[in-house]
Amino acid sequence: MTSADDPQPSPRTDVTVRSDVTVELVKSSASDSDVLFAARVSTLGEQSIGELQKDPERSKGLINYLMRDRHGSPFEHNSMTFLVSAPIFVFREFMRHRVGWSYNEESGRYRELQPVFYVPGEDRKLVQQGRPGKYEFVDGTPEQYKAVTETMAESYRQSYAAYQEMLAAGVAREVARATLPVGLFSSMYTTCNARSLMHFLGLRTQHELAKVPSFPQREIEMVGEKMEAEWARLMPLTYAAFNANGRVAP
């Protein structure tokens, strides 16, 4: 036992900072054939299940037609589950996407949150120019980058030390977590289908083939790019049709 006069352990003040995000495809049931059997039920009825055994390459024209004319429901009969590790502010943007998405995020109520925080990478544009709705981001100076990373790191150390102090004093995790900033890394599982992912990519990535310009925050775009790469591997014909038709979700 310890007495009230015994020294108490010092709260942790060391933090880890990182500039990347990670996306792992955990499981999937997604192929171009899924689009074809769902679309052909309208003309073949129950016989359309035979499309699952056929080479979808022979029917890429149908996939392109569905994408071009925005017949969207056949693109919903598939599933992809990702494990995403990113700063909390990315997840707050993510959860604006609700149709066709499911989320489960780690909880600061039930586990002690780890001291891993986000700082921009050297290639992250820091300065906003122009007015809302018509602005662009440009590179910051070396001095600005140094100020951003050092200020963030010091803020993170202070907030995490305060968090640890409250936990050491017996304060509940769900109360103590309020001192932590949105730059803290969290993790979540998210499940979507190709149609919902296309809508997400149309809004959260910039692309030279996009008919409708988008201006996403870079950090959520980083997540979108990694998800897109996994989807392109699973459904190459659907992915090609998405790009060929201006990256507009059907």
Side-chain angles (χ1 to χ4, degrees):
M1 294 181 62
T2 60
S3 70
D5 295 329
D6 290 334
Q8 297 297 311
S10 299
R12 287 180 60 181
T13 57
D14 56 313
V15 300
T16 299
V17 296
R18 50 184 286 199
S19 303
D20 64 324
V21 299
T22 59
V23 176
E24 177 186 353
L25 180 66
V26 177
K27 64 176 183 176
S28 66
S29 175
S31 71
D32 293 312
S33 295
D34 296 332
V35 179
L36 297 172
F37 90 82
R40 287 200 161 121
V41 72
S42 61
T43 56
L44 297 178
E46 70 278 3
Q47 296 177 26
S48 65
I49 197 70
E51 294 297 325
L52 290 173
Q53 311 304 322
K54 295 180 181 179
D55 180 6
E57 185 74 27
R58 298 173 56 188
S59 298
K60 62 182 179 182
L62 174 57
I63 292 177
N64 189 71
Y65 161 74
L66 296 169
M67 191 77 69
R68 184 194 68 210
D69 285 16
R70 305 192 73 183
H71 296 289
S73 58
F75 297 100
E76 297 176 4
H77 295 271
N78 56 83
S79 177
M80 293 164 279
T81 297
F82 299 93
L83 175 61
V84 181
S85 177
I88 287 174
F89 66 81
V90 169
F91 293 164
R92 297 304 155 263
E93 286 198 324
F94 229 116
M95 291 171 187
R96 294 174 182 268
H97 299 268
R98 297 182 292 278
V99 178
W101 290 87
S102 299
Y103 303 103
N104 281 94
E105 185 183 353
E106 69 176 280
S107 173
R109 296 184 69 191
Y110 303 120
R111 66 170 302 194
E112 182 176 333
L113 300 172
Q114 300 304 299
V116 182
F117 297 90
Y118 174 79
V119 296
E122 293 184 3
D123 60 343
R124 209 299 187 189
K125 299 181 186 300
L126 296 179
V127 179
Q128 178 179 326
Q129 294 181 340
R131 57 182 174 79
K134 194 176 182 180
Y135 58 81
E136 63 177 351
F137 284 86
V138 299
D139 293 327
T141 65
E143 292 76 19
Q144 286 173 319
Y145 178 76
K146 183 174 184 290
V148 166
T149 55
E150 290 183 355
T151 301
M152 282 186 172
E154 179 57 27
S155 174
Y156 294 151
R157 282 191 288 269
Q158 292 181 14
S159 66
Y160 197 77
Y163 174 67
Q164 289 285 297
E165 287 175 4
M166 284 187 277
L167 293 181
V171 175
R173 288 183 292 263
E174 65 182 54
V175 176
R177 65 177 172 170
T179 192
L180 296 172
V182 293
L184 181 76
F185 266 75
S186 186
S187 59
M188 74 170 179
Y189 289 106
T190 181
T191 299
C192 63
N193 59 58
R195 189 183 192 185
S196 55
L197 181 58
M198 284 186 275
H199 180 69
F200 175 86
L201 295 175
L203 290 173
R204 301 301 181 179
T205 62
Q206 288 185 315
H207 199 282
E208 60 183 4
L209 296 177
K211 288 182 180 178
V212 181
S214 183
F215 305 95
Q217 183 163 341
R218 177 56 189 153
E219 288 76 14
I220 196 169
E221 184 179 37
M222 290 160 59
V223 174
E225 289 169 349
K226 292 179 180 294
M227 297 176 77
E228 180 171 345
E230 294 288 356
W231 172 55
R233 179 179 60 82
L234 292 170
M235 303 179 71
L237 300 181
T238 303
Y239 179 65
F242 175 58
N243 283 318
N245 289 279
R247 294 175 67 87
V248 176

